Every structure is written in structure tokens, then in C-alpha cells.
Amino acid sequence: MNSSTPHVLVIPYPAQGHVIPLLEFSQCLAKQGFKVTFVNTDYNHKRVLESLEGKNYTEEQIHMVSIPDGLQPWENRNGNAKLVENMLEFMPGKLEELIEEINTREAEQIACVIAAGGLGWAIKVAEKMKIKRRAVVWTSSAASLALSSSIPKLIDDGIINENGIPIKKQMIQLAPTMPEISSEVYFWGAISDSPAHKLIFDLMVNNVNAAKAADYLFCNSTYDLEPAAFSMVPKLLPVGPLLASNRLGESAGYLWPEDSNCLNWLEQQQPNSVIYVAFGSHTVLDHIQLQELALGLELCNRPFLWVVRPDLTNDKKEAYPEGFPDRVATRGRTVSWAPQQKVLSHPSIACFLSHCGWNSTVEGVSNGIPFLCWPYFFDQFLNESYICDIWKVGLKFNRNESGIITREEIKKKIDQVLSDENFKARALQLKEKALSSVREGGSSNKTFQNFREWMNAYN
């Protein structure tokens, strides 16, 4: 047995919802004594380094590097079919070159490649380069992997065709304690009109196969949150919730500069009073819907903190209703990006109006916060079903005949979730279940210890 530090290469899928948990996972490895090389795309690398300025992120143990994604800096990367193509055809060669360069230069050669669940090709690169230990971190829910693993059966049962398109609208349930989901809102079905649809569907099938072939398959979740889903994928091991607060550190990996001044504003609010509104990094609202949301927040007459990205709407019109900023100035705060984990742990937060991305879901659950669910695409509809139907810690919005969530519906659901103390009580119970996993003796804690022992045994 070699006593040198195990050197692992970690590569996230190039999107905000993957970079954050993979960097958190890396910091957990660094805390366990690993040396980590963290690989972003050139485009994301620059943004992540800017967001890390002034933060303590175990710099001596985590080396941040990058490879090109094959797109020009000005090209849009959200839902870009070319980016998906490049991940299959262009980026594998660049990763090979990087690994060769590192192994030539570094004393400790890369002993293990750890890839996000969306990068099955990175596992194949590791295999090609004879890196004997390979692992995958599934950054979505265990249920999303169980669903993805069921694709062959869904095709055989006539629920979807070989391109992943639903044959008819129907509800399915993979296991008795898992939520029912519509065939129209599988994460590939939710974007069936997109030119990237077939590419993403094929990539998903390849990713599932690569994940199953890896030595270790990790998930940012816990047995207690999704027992049936974990039982459907026996190889899957919990490492969640991946939160900076679990190691008493700061979260890192944001692609937008945080406005930390909002924390000072939260300090001035009453406990359990503020509605936190955030839609992640991809959601886009049309002009009418954004205006209805603004008016709904105004109508509810409660304090709110609203994250409004510069690209939250594609419409060039004035985003807010006329006079809205002045009318809510005394109780409303908007920011372009927030330090979300710190916001959700603040005692003034009463509920989380969320797009239901898995990171946001885990962060809300881990802080005992009730939800108002506004899913946009991919696995967010599945997460909404967990929140509302299985865990019962949140409410769904209903849309009108035009597909709009009206200001009246927004006020109604905010009032409903905040007036029923059972939502908060269940959220606090769920918080305890989630956090017990990362404590000494918990399932996620044991997963990290077993992985460290396995790596050291072969190092």
C-alpha cells in the first residue's frame, strides 16, 4: 500500500446545478485527505474562479483546471444542441490531453476519475486511459436515475417510443412509495419540441449505462428521502445532502456573482416572514408571466426576496409592472443572484417559491422550509411530485386556460402554505431525516469513509 495522497479528477456537467454539488463533493474528499483536480469548461472556469474570490475552499487540496467546450464565448449554452454534440465528439479528446499532461507533470498520478452523471463519456475516457478506478456522482434525485434506468421497460410497455417521445399521455408510478408522474413531463419529454431532444435522450441512455459500469455510483440524496428509488438502483449510494454547512464551510461554484447584501436585509425582517423566490439558472418566464408573479408577490402583502437573473425573461420590455418597485420598496428585495444556502438557513425565511431543481430541493429540505413549486423542465416535475405528493411539504400552482399562473393563484397558495402549520412541521421532520445521513454513523457519512478506505487500499 502506497502512503501517498490519492489523486482524483472530478469533472462536472457544464451547468450550474452540477458544478455546485460536484465542487462540494470535492471539498468533502479534500477534507478526507484526497488531492482533487477539478475540471470545468473554460467558459465556466473563469466564472467559478471569480465567484470564489475571498472564499476559503481548501485551495491547497483542490486544483481548478479547465478544458474547452468547443463553443465561442458569446454563444448561448442553455439548451444548446451543439454543446451536447461537443460533449460527445470534441471534449473527450481534450480530457484525454489534460489527463496525459497531469500524469506527466504531477508526482501523484490520477488514480480515479469521478464524473457527473451527465458525463458518461468521461468514464469511457478513464477506461480508455487505463485509469482503473472510476466513479459517478448523480447530481439529481435517486428517482431520476431509477426513471432513466427504466427507459428500456418504458419502450417495451409502449409508454414512450425509441426516441423517448411519449406515445400517449398517461400517469405512471415506478414503485408504490414513489410519486406518479405524467408521461408528458419526463425530463426528456418536457423538451420534446427542442432540437436537442434526441441528443439529450441518447446522451441520457449512454449516461445510465456508464453509471452502472462505474465502480462507485454516488447520489446527492439519502435513503430516508427516497427509499423506494434507492431500492430500484441497488448500486446507488447516498452522499447527500451535499451542503457547505455540513462541513462548516462556505458554498462555492456559483456562475453568477452573489449579492450578499441581501443577508443584511434578511436580518431586519421578522422570523419566519419572508417568501424566498428563486428559479435557478435556466428558467425563463415570458413577459406576462413575470408580471403576474410580481403582482402576486405585491398582492400577498408579505416581505419577499426575489432572485431576478438578467436573463430571467427574454422579453426586451420593462420587466416589472409600472410602479411595482416603488410600491413594494419597503418590504420587497430583488437581487440578480443570492447566496442561496445562507438565505435558506436564515430564520426569517418562511417558504421557498422554487423551480424545484434538485439542488434547491435538497437545500430547502435540509433547512426545514415549506415549498411553493414552479417547475420548468427536466426532473423538476418529478421533484415537485416528491415535495407535494410524497413528503407533503409544499403546494403546486394551477395554471389558467392560457397556461399562466395568475397573481390571485400565487397569493392563494402563499397564504395557504403559510397558514397551515402542518407544512412547517412536516418540513422540520424531513430536515432531521435528511441531516442525520451526514452525521457520524449516518449512511452518507459511511459512504465517504468506505470510499476513502477503498481508494487507500489500492493507492
Side-chain angles (χ1 to χ4, degrees):
M1 177 175 164
N2 190 331
S3 62
S4 65
T5 303
H7 186 182
V8 299
L9 181 142
V10 179
I11 178 166
Y13 188 92
Q16 179 73 94
H18 300 264
V19 173
I20 291 174
L22 261 293
L23 191 51
E24 185 57 43
F25 182 85
S26 297
Q27 296 197 87
C28 292
L29 292 180
K31 195 174 179 182
Q32 295 268 0
F34 287 81
K35 177 179 179 179
V36 181
T37 295
F38 193 86
V39 187
N40 274 308
T41 60
D42 291 344
Y43 179 78
N44 286 345
H45 178 71
K46 180 175 180 292
R47 299 171 74 189
V48 169
L49 288 184
E50 288 173 355
S51 75
L52 286 172
E53 287 181 10
K55 287 190 174 183
N56 175 19
Y57 72 99
T58 327
E59 188 172 3
E60 69 281 357
Q61 287 288 93
I62 299 179
H63 182 45
M64 309 287 281
V65 299
S66 65
I67 57 175
D69 62 14
L71 298 181
Q72 296 300 323
W74 58 85
E75 289 188 80
N76 178 30
R77 283 157 171 80
N78 286 353
N80 190 325
K82 186 180 175 185
L83 177 59
V84 179
E85 289 177 357
N86 287 356
M87 282 195 288
L88 295 172
E89 298 171 9
F90 175 78
M91 291 175 67
K94 297 300 178 183
L95 181 61
E96 283 185 41
E97 292 172 10
L98 175 66
I99 291 173
E100 287 176 357
E101 190 266 327
I102 291 171
N103 283 343
T104 301
R105 170 173 46 84
E106 297 282 348
E108 296 99 1
Q109 296 200 341
I110 292 168
C112 180
V113 168
I114 303 174
L119 296 183
W121 57 264
I123 297 300
K124 292 178 181 177
V125 168
E127 189 176 7
K128 177 182 176 183
M129 301 192 72
K130 296 182 169 50
I131 297 173
K132 294 182 179 179
R133 291 178 291 288
R134 302 177 284 273
V136 166
V137 180
W138 195 261
T139 51
S140 301
S141 64
S144 68
L145 181 56
L147 179 60
S148 302
S149 300
S150 301
I151 286 173
K153 187 176 188 303
L154 296 174
I155 294 173
D156 289 344
D157 292 347
I159 294 172
I160 59 175
N161 65 21
E162 292 184 352
N163 294 322
I165 305 293
I167 293 172
K168 63 178 180 178
K169 182 178 180 180
Q170 58 185 302
M171 301 298 290
I172 70 160
Q173 187 177 30
L174 297 178
T177 56
M178 290 179 66
E180 284 191 324
I181 49 174
S182 168
S183 60
E184 292 190 322
V185 294
Y186 301 157
F187 16 139
W188 57 87
I191 54 160
S192 56
D193 294 330
S194 163
H197 164 79
K198 183 63 168 66
L199 276 170
I200 290 175
F201 180 72
D202 291 342
L203 186 65
M204 189 175 298
V205 173
N206 291 333
N207 290 337
V208 170
N209 293 333
K212 289 179 177 177
D215 298 299
Y216 264 80
L217 179 53
F218 303 112
C219 183
N220 183 19
S221 187
T222 76
Y223 290 133
D224 284 332
L225 291 180
E226 310 177 81
F230 273 97
S231 68
M232 289 187 68
V233 190
K235 186 176 181 178
L236 193 62
L237 297 171
V239 290
L242 289 169
L243 301 173
S245 56
N246 293 337
R247 57 181 173 80
L248 304 178
E250 289 193 68
S251 57
Y254 292 115
L255 303 182
W256 281 270
E258 301 170 21
D259 182 349
S260 295
N261 290 327
C262 65
L263 298 174
N264 298 328
W265 180 83
L266 287 175
E267 287 293 325
Q268 300 164 33
Q269 309 308 313
Q270 293 297 313
N272 200 38
S273 68
V274 176
I275 304 154
Y276 175 56
V277 185
F279 292 99
S281 56
H282 289 287
T283 301
V284 176
L285 304 178
D286 67 27
H287 183 66
I288 294 173
Q289 184 59 87
L290 190 140
Q291 296 232 330
E292 283 297 312
L293 173 55
L295 292 170
L297 292 173
E298 180 180 353
L299 197 60
C300 74
N301 200 32
R302 299 174 188 268
F304 65 85
L305 174 61
W306 183 9
V307 179
V308 184
R309 297 187 331 266
D311 58 351
L312 183 60
T313 178
N314 288 331
D315 206 305
K316 299 304 180 188
K317 301 174 190 172
E318 172 59 39
Y320 303 117
E322 186 176 354
F324 168 77
D326 293 332
R327 293 195 301 272
V328 300
T330 58
R331 60 180 175 81
R333 178 75 181 251
T334 61
V335 294
S336 59
W337 198 252
Q340 182 160 290
Q341 291 187 27
K342 288 183 178 179
V343 168
L344 288 170
S345 66
H346 198 280
S348 69
I349 299 298
C351 69
F352 185 9
L353 197 163
S354 171
H355 67 304
C356 304
W358 187 245
N359 280 342
S360 292
T361 299
V362 167
E363 289 166 3
V365 162
S366 298
N367 284 289
I369 306 296
F371 285 81
L372 292 160
C373 298
W374 193 311
Y376 181 61
F377 63 2
F378 291 164
D379 62 332
Q380 295 163 11
F381 296 93
L382 180 60
N383 302 338
E384 176 191 51
S385 295
Y386 263 109
I387 290 166
C388 301
D389 304 330
I390 304 298
W391 303 329
K392 301 186 187 305
V393 295
L395 293 173
K396 303 177 183 180
F397 288 113
N398 295 316
R399 296 177 182 270
N400 66 11
E401 61 279 1
S402 302
I404 296 295
I405 300 172
T406 65
R407 66 194 79 171
E408 292 82 10
E409 169 69 2
I410 292 165
K411 180 185 186 303
K412 175 185 172 183
K413 292 298 167 64
I414 288 174
D415 290 344
Q416 190 176 337
V417 82
L418 293 184
S419 63
D420 186 343
E421 293 180 0
N422 290 316
F423 284 105
K424 183 66 175 179
R426 286 191 291 267
L428 289 172
Q429 290 171 355
L430 199 63
K431 170 186 176 179
E432 182 55 34
K433 283 185 177 182
L435 294 183
S436 66
S437 183
V438 296
R439 296 186 187 124
E440 190 70 33
S443 56
S444 296
N445 181 268
K446 287 179 179 176
T447 299
F448 274 111
Q449 290 179 359
N450 291 339
F451 180 66
R452 180 187 61 194
E453 290 170 6
W454 178 73
M455 285 292 298
N456 284 333
Y458 291 96
N459 192 39

